[in-house]
Amino acid sequence: MRIDAHVHLFTDGKQPFPFRDDMTTERSAYISPAEELIAYMDREDIDRTVLIQSAYHGYDNSYLCDCLRRYPDRLHGVALIDPRRADAAGELARFYRDHGVQGMRLYAFLDPDASWLSADDQHQLWDAARLMGVPFTWFGHCAQIPMLEPMLQRYPEVKVIVDHLGEPTISAGLDGDFQLRLKAARFPNLYVKVTRLKGLSARCWPYADLHPLIRAALETFGARRMLACTGFPENAQRDAAVGFSLIEEGLEFLSAEDRRWILGDTADSLYG
């Protein structure tokens, strides 16, 4: 089982799937349509993919839902919903019920003050996730993780998957803010994605400056709480699953069983 745990799909911004400025006003130089992803998955022997709603489309999840409708056996979906909306829990339930969406992304990355993560008005949303049995993905900085911890403790049934190793300060190595990420491994409902490696690393593949962090994540979280992605669509040529290749070939400290979990079995346990 090979499951890409993190892919963004987006259109050219034209109707019926326009861009929105909720999360960003930047625009991609290329499009990332479902048809190209499915062809890529077939070529790279990827069984299923978890779609993470693109920031280009913001809180308009209509293209995500359309992709899930067209390829229900190949794709899972994680929506973007404003968690501070009064009806956020209802929106999550509606996407789950009507479109098969399996969770939402908590987007703290842009917030100077992320204390809202554990505010009282978030309990209804977390209760909804617990009742539906869907995980959150979390996009933020390592320094923001302590603000998430009260919810991890209060809702042990709710799985939370941290994107991109928690966006650590790579130049600081293991002595920097990544320590906050490692300390949070004490919460068994917290997971970590070994993703966006090309963007995080200051080096070319196999991203040697990330190896100590990935090894430390393995030692604290274990492979059963780690997930990976291929690199689509960040790999503009789309001719190699560079993220999977790193797990398969570039990290000698991983066992065959570790690789099996990171490349698919963990994602299957969360979304299967």
Side-chain angles (χ1 to χ4, degrees):
M1 178 66 64
R2 285 160 59 85
I3 302 176
D4 188 333
H6 195 105
V7 163
H8 299 298
L9 295 185
F10 45 90
T11 69
D12 58 5
K14 298 176 182 177
Q15 293 291 351
F17 305 114
F19 293 144
R20 286 184 46 157
D21 297 336
D22 302 305
M23 317 305 296
T24 182
T25 57
E26 295 181 3
R27 300 294 181 251
S28 174
Y30 55 88
I31 63 172
S32 177
E35 295 80 6
E36 288 191 16
L37 172 63
I38 296 300
Y40 179 86
M41 291 169 63
D42 290 341
R43 187 171 69 248
E44 298 293 332
D45 296 322
I46 307 299
D47 297 290
R48 306 201 307 273
T49 288
V50 182
L51 303 182
I52 308 296
Q53 168 71 353
S54 169
Y56 298 130
H57 291 292
Y59 295 132
D60 181 354
N61 294 275
S62 55
Y63 186 58
L64 173 77
C65 293
D66 183 70
C67 295
L68 298 180
R69 177 187 60 82
R70 287 187 288 145
Y71 302 103
D73 297 331
R74 305 297 301 278
L75 304 178
H76 305 276
V78 175
L80 261 179
I81 302 167
D82 184 350
R84 285 162 282 193
R85 283 179 47 171
D87 61 345
E91 276 288 274
L92 177 58
R94 181 178 68 81
F95 280 119
Y96 174 77
R97 180 187 67 243
D98 296 345
H99 302 287
V101 166
Q102 294 174 269
M104 63 175 277
R105 194 183 201 194
L106 300 174
Y107 207 104
F109 185 76
L110 300 176
D111 293 334
D113 179 6
S115 58
W116 62 266
L117 286 165
S118 55
D120 289 344
D121 62 4
Q122 294 299 294
H123 292 299
Q124 187 177 15
L125 180 60
W126 283 70
D127 281 329
R130 177 178 57 81
L131 290 172
M132 288 181 283
V134 299
F136 290 124
T137 63
W138 184 82
F139 182 37
H141 302 278
C142 284
Q144 296 170 318
I145 286 177
M147 301 176 194
L148 183 66
E149 291 181 354
M151 304 303 268
L152 293 170
Q153 184 169 3
R154 179 162 179 165
Y155 295 93
E157 309 94 337
V158 179
K159 308 291 195 301
V160 179
I161 309 152
V162 172
D163 290 336
H164 315 324
L165 291 171
E167 294 285 335
T169 305
I170 303 302
S171 60
L174 294 176
D175 297 322
D177 54 7
F178 194 62
Q179 276 297 317
L180 295 170
R181 183 73 189 86
L182 298 177
K183 290 177 181 177
R186 68 187 186 277
F187 297 101
N189 51 331
L190 192 64
Y191 292 64
V192 60
K193 286 182 189 172
V194 185
T195 51
R196 208 175 80 80
L197 303 177
K198 182 178 179 181
L200 290 173
S201 179
R203 302 187 186 180
C204 297
W205 194 95
Y207 317 124
D209 53 344
L210 301 184
H211 293 193
L213 282 70
I214 297 171
R215 185 166 195 160
L218 177 70
E219 292 171 351
T220 52
F221 285 85
R224 297 187 182 210
R225 288 198 280 157
M226 296 173 68
L227 307 88
C229 75
T230 60
F232 183 98
E234 288 84 356
N235 174 21
Q237 290 73 41
R238 301 178 185 176
D239 59 358
V242 293
F244 271 26
S245 296
L246 178 68
I247 303 300
E248 292 169 327
E249 306 167 11
L251 301 172
E252 76 288 343
F253 52 82
L254 294 177
S255 69
E257 183 178 5
D258 293 335
R259 295 186 177 96
R260 178 170 58 82
W261 279 98
I262 296 170
L263 294 176
D265 284 6
T266 301
D268 189 47
S269 73
L270 293 165
Y271 297 104

